[in-house]
Amino acid sequence: MSDVRNEWPLWEIFVRAKSGLDHKHCGSLHAPDAKMAVQLAREVYTRRQEGTSVWVVKSSDITASDPSDKGELFDPMEDKVYRHPTFYQLPDSVNHM
Amino acid sequence: MYTQAMDLAPKEERKALRSAEEAALEARFEARIDDGDFIEAKDWMPEHYRKTLVRQISQHAHSEIVGMLPEGNWISRAPTLKRKAILLAKVQDEGGHGLYLYAAAETLGTSRDQMLEALHNGKAKYSSIFNYPTLTWADIGTIGWLVDGAAIMNQVPLTRCSYAPYARAMVRICREESFHQRQGYDSLLVMMREGTVAQREMVQDAVNRWWWPSLMMFGPPDKDSVHGAQGMRWGIKRISNDDLRQKFIDATAEQAKVLGVTLPDPLLKWNEERGHYDFGPIDWDEFWRVVGGHGPCNKERLAARVKAWEDGQWVRDAALAHARKQATKEQAA
Amino acid sequence: MQPASSLRSIAPEGASPGRRDPGVEASVRHGTAESIRLNLTPPVRYVLRLADTALIHAQRLGEWCGHGPVIEEDIALTNMALDYVGQARALLTHAARLEGQGFDEDQLAFLRDEGQFLNLTLAEQPMRKASAHSPGGDFADTMLRNFLLAAWFQLFWQKLAGSSDAELAAIAGKALKEARYHLRHAGDWVVRLGDGTDESARRLGSALERAWPYTNEMFARDAVDAEAEASGLGPARDSLAADWQREVAAVFAEAGLSLPPPTPFVSTGTLGRHSEHMGFILAEMQSLQRMYPGGRW
């Protein structure tokens, strides 16, 4: 049974293709720490092209505000980028949901 | 790109709507779809929509990852350094595509490990074309020509899928695919035009083995498919299987003439009236056998993926342990 | 779907029927893909030691494609393999030019016999696949070797930027950027494995025991080295030892590893005498060209 606590954390990747442009969100990847997230982002999303700048942010660290159709339903992930099983670490005693 | 298995999913039970509130949300959702709006990760969506997408996107991702194996077999035996580099790049792209797709699926509330677990325990499917063996170097070029060709046809409509993270992943994937099919065809063209008799025979043999399975990539005939009209409206089910298959045959039959190979269908013939190629019957028994787990390589493919995952557990654990130790050190500092 | 006409317009690369190709002619004449025999002068040997090490290391790295511990690292390892294939191609082409019989990179890679390959024996050692003849290696072997080789190559490329051979200097300039990247990535992994879990530390320690005896060859000195040094072609291997040890010791310290004691064994791949693994590597790598003499790919 996969335990989400043993997964490498998820990172959102932002790439600036060349100077003068903005960083653009291009997707996500899994990495154990920020240093490797940056290296892997270069491998995966830029195929190591020179001159590109890469920002990595842990997905769970992003605070989001999306205009969305939530209605009145309470959404515990309201300020997260999306719903992901690892964004909320519940106490161990109840973490097997 | 390998979305053929989607039609084979069991029909989802539509749960009764719980409240007038949800009915209103659903109506608003459908109106957005009708307007051609994109749905983003945090938008309200029907549970059926979310579940269908998780299954389709993750199975698409699994297909890319498993698809690395039949071609990866020939990296060490590529006949020139240039072909070795091209094949390494192609197989690597497929890994990258799997990654983009897992990332898109993760926006819908599942995690990579959960999806991989479903693949490894046999619950999730992947495109059955990869359950065939790559027996010669010509298989590599033929896969590029036929299998990637069929996949491209399936993929382009998905760039307009209503779920934006999936559509964006597909745009990125289609952009990178452009060289795969051309390189495969180019490799066959060189062997047919300049190669030895033995090489030409190798190409013809590969085409004989991959032609019919490629046609099966478009899924069962429309009359036998589980097509949700709902899925079509949502842009996450493909255009008709039969239409895509016909389009593929029409294009490929012409390309085969240029190559100088014979497609292994004695009934393949241009029909002036229809404006399309007529073709012979597909052996759907074979298709269901392979989809059901009884093809030439099903067990090996899954075993290879499971082994890679299990053998890599200590590596992933070590990286995580190191990261946690570093984080603790930084906090203490 | 691309229209058939656009695919028809692909011109296959290398399609020049009039080109004279001594290797192909020889193989067609003999009806079998006979080995070519290079005239191994010292400068040719010097370049082949680098070229063949890059080639065989790339061949091993390619084994990971589709089998990595995580997709992201699969992609990273394959990028590394591609870098080394690129370096091998440039260096083999240059070696062939220096050698003067008119061979090309593929003839050198696919039609030389084992005795004419001059790679470090370290590059031949198993990295992943087990076989009937060998228990295979693991990710620790792989990353440790990536690190040790990247450190070695980086020092070579730095010094070769000043080579009297302009082409070699140009190749070195491009390869240096890649080596720096490989060194950082592999070095980070060595630290992660050394200072990760008990199991990863144990595996890294075992990998180091296996690899260490093969590192002596990296800094051996012979007439080929001496002549390169004298002519300005490039540095002698032994001149790089101190810098390499320093670089390696620093990362090992972070990883909780100590430099093993020196051993008397010196491998001889750079002299054309290899380990048992080389025969299997070449049998696989060269199989198609041998099976289809005169073939076009």
Side-chain angles (χ1 to χ4, degrees), chain A residues 13 29 36-47 54 56:
Chain A
I13 311 300
L29 54 78
M36 187 128 101
V38 170
Q39 284 180 11
L40 292 176
R42 296 192 65 79
E43 303 278 4
V44 171
Y45 285 106
T46 77
R47 302 297 163 92
V54 171
V56 305

Side-chain angles (χ1 to χ4, degrees), chain B residues 81-96:
Chain B
L81 295 180
K82 180 180 135 205
R83 292 290 174 201
K84 193 190 286 285
I86 288 169
L87 186 56
L88 275 163
K90 177 176 199 270
V91 178
Q92 181 195 49
D93 273 356
E94 282 154 19

Side-chain angles (χ1 to χ4, degrees), chain C:
Chain C
M1 189 69 226
Q2 294 191 347
S5 56
S6 76
L7 285 168
R8 204 172 297 158
S9 67
I10 293 171
E13 276 198 42
S16 42
R19 187 182 67 158
R20 284 183 60 92
D21 191 324
V24 170
E25 283 190 30
S27 61
V28 171
R29 219 177 23 244
H30 294 287
T32 180
E34 252 189 41
S35 298
I36 61 169
R37 304 190 64 129
L38 297 183
N39 185 15
L40 293 174
T41 61
V44 170
R45 285 179 182 270
Y46 187 85
V47 176
L48 282 179
R49 284 171 176 179
L50 296 166
D52 291 340
T53 302
L55 177 63
I56 301 302
H57 187 56
Q59 184 72 1
R60 278 292 191 216
L61 282 173
E63 289 175 15
W64 280 106
C65 196
H67 301 274
V70 70
I71 306 169
E72 285 85 348
E73 194 57 39
D74 209 302
I75 292 171
L77 283 167
T78 309
N79 269 336
M80 202 179 286
L82 279 165
D83 286 344
Y84 278 109
V85 169
Q87 290 173 18
R89 293 180 68 186
L91 290 165
L92 287 172
T93 300
H94 187 55
R97 197 178 301 128
L98 287 176
E99 196 266 353
Q101 286 191 69
F103 294 120
D104 66 23
E105 67 190 34
D106 288 324
Q107 286 162 324
L108 262 62
F110 296 96
L111 296 177
R112 256 187 302 165
D113 273 344
E114 185 174 328
Q116 293 214 319
F117 276 83
L118 304 180
N119 52 284
L120 292 171
T121 308
L122 177 62
E124 301 159 26
Q125 303 312 302
M127 212 188 244
R128 184 185 79 79
K129 285 196 301 200
S131 71
H133 312 277
S134 157
D138 67 11
F139 191 78
D141 291 294
T142 300
M143 273 311 165
L144 179 67
R145 189 174 322 156
N146 280 338
F147 171 66
L148 298 174
L149 282 177
W152 186 75
F153 273 115
Q154 186 189 235
L155 291 167
F156 259 105
W157 303 138
Q158 276 167 352
K159 295 269 159 48
L160 284 172
S163 172
S164 56
D165 179 328
E167 173 65 17
L168 193 53
I171 293 171
K174 179 167 181 279
L176 179 57
K177 288 186 195 139
E178 294 171 352
R180 284 206 179 109
Y181 191 84
H182 301 159
L183 190 55
R184 194 162 55 235
H185 187 80
D188 285 350
W189 266 112
V190 168
V191 170
R192 235 171 245 123
L193 296 181
D195 187 26
T197 59
D198 289 341
E199 180 174 3
S200 67
R202 183 182 53 77
R203 284 179 182 260
L204 186 64
S206 302
L208 182 56
E209 267 177 46
R210 285 190 284 272
W212 197 249
Y214 294 101
T215 59
N216 287 329
E217 186 181 6
M218 289 170 145
F219 309 106
R221 182 187 177 94
D222 65 4
V224 171
D225 296 287
E227 188 176 310
E229 196 174 60
S231 71
L233 179 62
R237 282 175 289 163
D238 60 330
S239 70
L240 306 175
D243 286 336
W244 184 87
Q245 293 233 350
R246 209 172 8 250
E247 174 85 57
V248 168
V251 171
F252 276 17
E254 257 194 275
L257 289 173
S258 24
L259 286 181
T263 70
F265 172 73
V266 183
S267 46
T268 53
T270 47
L271 300 175
R273 188 163 297 166
H274 297 277
S275 71
E276 289 182 342
H277 300 291
M278 190 66 171
F280 294 106
I281 291 174
L282 292 182
E284 203 170 307
M285 190 175 84
Q286 299 189 339
S287 55
L288 272 177
Q289 286 239 9
R290 303 287 188 171
M291 258 196 268
Y292 292 89
R296 303 285 286 181
W297 307 99

Side-chain angles (χ1 to χ4, degrees), chain A residues 4 10 14 23 30-33 45 48 51 55-57 61 82 94:
Chain A
V4 293
L10 193 57
F14 302 81
H23 282 78
H30 288 269
D33 55 48
Y45 285 106
R48 290 212 250 114
W55 288 351
V56 305
V57 188
D61 282 346
Y82 41 84
V94 294

Side-chain angles (χ1 to χ4, degrees), chain B residues 31-139:
Chain B
R32 291 187 63 198
I33 298 280
D34 289 341
D35 275 347
D37 258 8
F38 278 115
I39 308 299
E40 296 286 354
K42 296 282 292 298
D43 294 344
W44 188 92
M45 60 185 77
E47 184 60 11
H48 181 46
Y49 178 85
R50 193 191 67 81
K51 275 204 165 113
T52 303
L53 276 168
V54 167
R55 190 177 56 237
Q56 171 151 337
I57 300 172
S58 63
Q59 292 187 165
H60 192 163
H62 296 326
S63 298
E64 296 280 354
I65 300 304
V66 175
M68 296 171 79
L69 296 173
E71 288 172 287
N73 271 344
W74 282 88
I75 288 170
S76 66
R77 291 175 289 175
T80 67
L81 295 180
K82 180 180 135 205
R83 292 290 174 201
K84 193 190 286 285
I86 288 169
L87 186 56
L88 275 163
K90 177 176 199 270
V91 178
Q92 181 195 49
D93 273 356
E94 282 154 19
H97 296 171
L99 192 152
Y100 305 153
L101 291 165
Y102 285 127
E106 284 185 274
T107 65
L108 286 162
T110 180
S111 78
R112 168 108 54 100
D113 281 16
Q114 285 170 350
M115 290 186 272
L116 290 179
E117 191 176 328
L119 172 68
H120 297 158
N121 65 25
K123 289 213 173 85
K125 294 199 175 305
Y126 56 87
S127 184
S128 59
I129 190 72
F130 301 120
N131 293 315
Y132 290 88
T134 46
L135 299 175
T136 74
W137 174 252
D139 287 39

